[in-house]
Amino acid sequence: MLRQLIDPANAVTAAGLMLSVIGINFAITERLEAGVAIVLWALLADHLDGVVAQRTQGRAAETGQVGRNLDSLADLVSAGVFPAVTSIIVGHGSMVTVAAGTVLVVASALRLSYFNVFGSPGGRFIGVPTTYAVPATAIVFLLRPVIPEAIFPNLLAFVLVVLAVLHIVPLRVPKTTGFMYLVVTAFCVGASIVLAIRI
């Protein structure tokens, strides 16, 4: 079983998963900006693993299937569990933030399960990809200095609920390709640096 991690793409996915767990640890210890900064790098790993998989020659079909499922589980942690935990901690366990986090995790799990079965017909995703929750969370935290602290927890919870709904509605969303990879990479690197400076 551990041999599956020798595969370069699966190793990248596993690295992203580890970054997400580290990010959750930072969130639990109330170093929230550091957690968001680290999980942005998990998002980069998520984009990179697909590129690596496509360029790996002679990759066994079984390895690809393991990688696909590992990728979904990693996405659930980075884009479902991490934002949910962060929201709950920001809101000090309020009913609103717990409800929002729960809704996001369930919607993320459903969206990822659906994708694993039906894929992306016509080269488009059905529903907004779960990974969009990571940059959305980062944007809210980047704006935190100008948002009144009294409304910040509820604002973050609201954003997560909106994302949860978008995950499961039948929208057709184009895949990230070409130039958009550069945009995502630049955002993740830039936002993580800004958030790290605030620590």
Side-chain angles (χ1 to χ4, degrees):
M1 190 179 297
L2 288 174
R3 287 183 299 176
Q4 298 296 332
L5 296 181
I6 296 173
D7 175 74
N10 290 352
V12 172
T13 305
L17 182 55
M18 289 187 287
L19 288 171
S20 297
V21 173
I22 293 169
I24 290 170
N25 176 67
F26 275 113
I28 290 171
T29 55
E30 298 190 9
R31 292 173 286 178
L32 298 167
E33 278 77 8
V36 176
I38 288 171
V39 174
L40 283 167
W41 286 88
L43 176 60
L44 287 179
D46 178 64
H47 283 280
L48 181 61
D49 61 8
V51 175
V52 173
Q54 291 174 357
R55 297 186 179 183
T56 302
Q57 297 181 351
R59 195 173 189 233
E62 294 82 1
T63 300
Q65 288 297 317
V66 169
R68 183 175 182 177
N69 286 285
L70 182 63
D71 183 71
S72 289
L73 292 169
D75 288 350
L76 179 60
V77 176
S78 65
V81 175
F82 172 77
V85 169
T86 301
S87 176
I88 291 167
I89 290 175
V90 165
H92 303 290
S94 72
M95 186 178 298
V96 170
T97 57
V98 171
T102 302
V103 168
L104 179 69
V105 171
V106 172
S108 299
L110 180 59
R111 165 72 180 76
L112 291 163
S113 299
Y114 185 91
F115 173 75
N116 281 354
V117 174
F118 296 100
S120 48
R124 291 176 178 266
F125 294 117
I126 305 299
V128 170
T130 56
T131 51
Y132 281 39
V134 178
T137 301
I139 289 169
V140 174
F141 271 89
L142 288 170
L143 295 173
R144 189 175 189 179
V146 298
I147 299 172
E149 196 60 32
I151 70 169
F152 183 78
N154 289 339
L155 175 62
L156 180 58
F158 173 76
V159 169
L160 297 186
V161 170
V162 170
L163 283 165
V165 172
L166 293 176
H167 289 336
I168 59 176
V169 295
L171 291 174
R172 292 190 173 271
V173 180
K175 289 186 174 182
T176 302
T177 57
F179 177 72
M180 285 308 298
Y181 272 115
L182 296 177
V183 172
V184 170
T185 301
F187 174 81
C188 289
V189 172
S192 65
I193 291 172
V194 172
L195 290 167
I197 289 172
R198 292 183 187 170
I199 298 172

